[in-house]
Amino acid sequence: MTASADAVRTAADARGLTTVQPAAVQLPEDLAADHLHAGPTFADTVAPASGIACLEAPPTWLADLPYDVVGRTITAMPIRDAWALRYPAFVKAPNDKSLRAMVYTDGTRLPGADAVDPDTLILVAEIVSFTAEFRLHVLDGVMHASSQYAAHGRLHLGPLPAEVVPAAAALIGEVVETLPSAIVVDVGLLDDRLVVIEANAAWASGIYVSDVDAALDVILRAAAPAGDLSSHDRAFVRPVPTRTTSIEEGLQ
């Protein structure tokens, strides 16, 4: 348990919810769960069996955003195409940890066909440096909780600065229709303007120093009984995996 996950569990207990931390990814046979807060591997195993719908951004969401919103060139491609890259780029998997998110000097440094399916979708981005980075827990298109988590590439925790709030709200307003009702959006200052860094599933994201009760509101909506889904959110349910994949487990 990370400190963030422990805080979420404490907040859930305080609401009168029953929380369980299984010793393995298989839930006890007599346990019925309505929500989860965990990494992708656990969610992929437990959520379908429990009837939980986990919401996330579409895999190509970041690459599909306008340049003005992200401030850098981002391309979605199968990893087989990225193997031919001969320049440095920041590479990540869209919605899990099947690939370590980092700068690769060129495509030869990426995992090969012996380690990953050549059709695996990845995001290849221009390398940039953010002055500051912020996490926004978004509920129904509104910032519901927020935290600064980095400055100049290093961990730096604190509240969302007041001067950033209007720009952050405006940015969320630009992308709200392309996201589920409960999601985490990371934004950052790039050349003195605020841009989108990425979207993360709220059920698999740390809260940093965000208000834990407000963040819990988003987490509960982001992984909830499938029967409770709105018509808007049905398009954003994480697919049930068709095969077992080795993924680095943990909250993003």
Side-chain angles (χ1 to χ4, degrees):
M1 291 283 285
T2 64
S4 174
D6 191 54
V8 170
R9 181 173 62 179
T10 298
D13 288 339
R15 290 193 186 190
L17 299 174
T18 300
T19 61
V20 177
Q21 182 187 355
V25 294
Q26 285 79 25
L27 292 178
E29 291 184 3
D30 60 345
L31 179 65
D34 291 325
H35 308 273
L36 62 82
H37 183 49
T41 300
F42 185 92
D44 285 344
T45 301
V46 171
S50 302
I52 297 173
C54 295
L55 303 180
E56 64 184 11
T60 64
W61 178 77
L62 196 59
D64 293 339
L65 292 177
Y67 183 88
D68 287 348
V69 174
V70 295
R72 62 211 190 274
T73 301
I74 305 172
T75 306
M77 65 178 71
I79 197 169
R80 68 165 76 246
D81 292 348
W83 290 333
L85 296 177
R86 292 299 177 263
Y87 56 83
F90 181 83
V91 183
K92 71 184 293 289
N95 285 324
D96 58 39
K97 294 181 180 292
S98 57
L99 176 70
R100 185 178 179 186
M102 59 177 284
V103 172
Y104 292 83
T105 54
D106 60 44
T108 66
R109 301 295 183 177
L110 292 166
D114 60 331
V116 64
D117 186 329
D119 292 326
T120 299
L121 185 72
I122 61 170
L123 300 177
V124 178
E126 175 186 357
I127 301 170
V128 297
S129 297
F130 296 101
T131 305
E133 299 170 53
F134 313 99
R135 172 150 292 183
L136 312 176
H137 278 73
V138 178
L139 188 64
D140 294 324
V142 177
M143 287 189 298
H144 203 64
S146 61
S147 172
Q148 179 169 347
Y149 64 88
H152 301 287
R154 296 179 178 273
L155 184 67
H156 183 90
L157 302 180
L160 184 69
E163 62 271 18
V164 175
V165 172
L171 203 54
I172 293 302
E174 288 192 53
V175 302
V176 60
E177 294 300 324
T178 64
L179 290 170
S181 66
I183 193 73
V184 163
V185 179
D186 290 344
V187 300
L189 286 173
L190 182 64
D191 298 328
D192 297 323
R193 65 191 179 105
L194 200 66
V195 299
V196 169
I197 297 176
E198 63 181 359
N200 290 306
W203 47 266
S205 296
I207 65 170
Y208 296 114
V209 294
S210 299
D211 179 273
V212 63
D213 284 309
L216 179 58
D217 291 336
V218 184
I219 293 165
L220 293 175
R221 175 84 67 83
D228 293 346
L229 283 175
S230 67
S231 57
H232 173 80
D233 282 338
R234 290 193 188 106
F236 301 99
V237 176
R238 181 176 175 87
V240 176
T242 55
R243 62 185 178 86
T244 302
T245 303
S246 177
I247 298 174
E248 293 179 24
E249 179 66 8
L251 300 180
Q252 302 177 32

